[in-house]
Amino acid sequence: MAAPTQPGVTFSRVVAAEWTKLLSVRSSLWTIVGTILAAASLAFGLGMFVRPDSGQSGASLLVSGYLLAQLGTLVLGVLVGTGEYGFGTFRVTFTAVPRRLPVLLAQALMTTVVAFVTAVGALLASFLVTIGQRAAGGLAVDLTDGETVRVLVGYVGFLVGVALVGLGIGALLRRPTAALVTGVLVLVVLDHLLAVNPGRVTDTVRALLPGAGARLTMDDATLTTLDVSTLGPQLGSWGGGVVLGLWAACLFVAAGHRLRRHDLA
């Protein structure tokens, strides 16, 4: 049975403590900056190949940096999820907050906020560095167009979802290296291995991996091509987002269960 919460321990104070811990770790700040720079650099690099007749949209160029940005937000989530254990501060933290779960909830809140800011920053940086390329290629970014808004919002949602998956894996495994390797395997490597051997089973498994959330960043034409060619379920854009959200939720529940029912070490 969990011990009662100590007097003076409120959720807002737990959030404040987690916020301080997150921003006081230099690796977190470098991960945020690195994610933004990597996303913008990749968008700029891919923008060098844009041609007026390519059929590409301005929004799809802006979000093309997600291939690298997803690794950045995954690392961010893993750092938050394993930080307590890597630095050995979990004894102090859970002595102050004996109910434990508020700490995990606060970490999820902090991860969501920081990943959201990072994703928006990456989007803005990509917008700025590709202004000339989009003008030369005739690629407009029309914010009154529903597809454009859906792709840009989906980009932010995907990166936040990946960060929460990283948090869940980190909080569950509690070892940064193991969590990071597992996250990369599940999110990227396994998807690519299955993609080279398409079939009903492999395409179905791919659709159920967290990487399916990348559909949120795809324009309508790309989604249509993807759904027509697959032998697995046709998820569309929001279906991929649901799969990613379910991964994050299941990992969070599993991490919470281990946190409450098992030893901390």
Side-chain angles (χ1 to χ4, degrees):
M1 181 177 178
T5 305
Q6 292 182 352
V9 177
T10 64
F11 183 68
S12 61
R13 290 180 178 178
V14 176
V15 170
E18 291 303 316
W19 180 259
T20 300
K21 282 190 287 185
L22 176 62
L23 296 186
S24 63
V25 178
R26 188 173 300 176
S27 56
S28 299
L29 298 176
W30 280 116
T31 300
I32 295 170
V33 174
T35 300
I36 294 174
L37 292 178
S41 298
L42 182 56
F44 179 80
L46 294 175
M48 297 175 66
F49 300 97
V50 168
R51 298 292 180 270
D53 58 349
S54 64
Q56 187 177 10
S57 67
S60 64
L61 177 60
L62 291 186
V63 304
S64 59
Y66 86 87
L67 290 168
L68 293 179
Q70 64 180 341
L71 298 178
T73 56
L74 176 69
V75 171
L76 177 66
V78 168
L79 288 176
V80 175
T82 62
E84 295 283 356
Y85 308 95
F87 292 103
T89 59
F90 63 91
R91 297 181 181 86
V92 177
T93 297
F94 294 116
T95 298
V97 190
R99 290 180 61 183
R100 300 183 182 178
L101 279 185
V103 174
L104 186 59
L105 289 171
Q107 290 175 341
L109 179 60
M110 291 301 95
T111 301
T112 299
V113 172
V114 175
F116 176 84
V117 172
T118 303
V120 172
L123 202 56
L124 290 175
S126 298
F127 178 84
L128 293 175
V129 300
T130 59
I131 287 178
Q133 296 167 333
R134 284 183 286 109
L139 306 182
V141 180
D142 183 5
L143 295 181
T144 64
D145 177 63
E147 180 185 357
T148 297
V149 173
R150 194 264 300 161
V151 170
L152 298 182
V153 172
Y155 175 81
V156 175
F158 173 63
L159 294 185
V160 171
V162 170
L164 291 174
V165 167
L167 169 67
I169 295 175
L172 189 60
L173 299 183
R174 301 178 179 177
R175 300 290 183 272
T177 302
L180 186 57
V181 170
T182 301
V184 172
L185 283 174
V186 173
L187 184 68
V188 180
V189 176
L190 185 57
D191 180 73
H192 282 73
L193 288 176
L194 294 173
V196 300
N197 187 25
R200 185 173 299 278
V201 174
T202 53
D203 287 357
T204 299
V205 173
R206 286 188 69 202
L208 299 177
L209 293 174
R215 289 168 172 264
L216 290 169
T217 69
M218 298 176 184
D219 57 27
D220 291 344
T222 303
L223 283 171
T224 300
T225 302
L226 194 62
D227 281 342
V228 168
S229 62
T230 184
L231 296 176
Q234 299 182 3
L235 298 176
S237 60
W238 299 115
V242 169
V243 171
L244 178 61
L246 289 174
W247 268 87
C250 291
L251 286 167
F252 185 83
V253 171
H257 177 77
R258 186 185 180 193
L259 188 61
R260 279 184 59 87
R261 303 296 182 186
H262 297 273
D263 294 337
L264 293 173

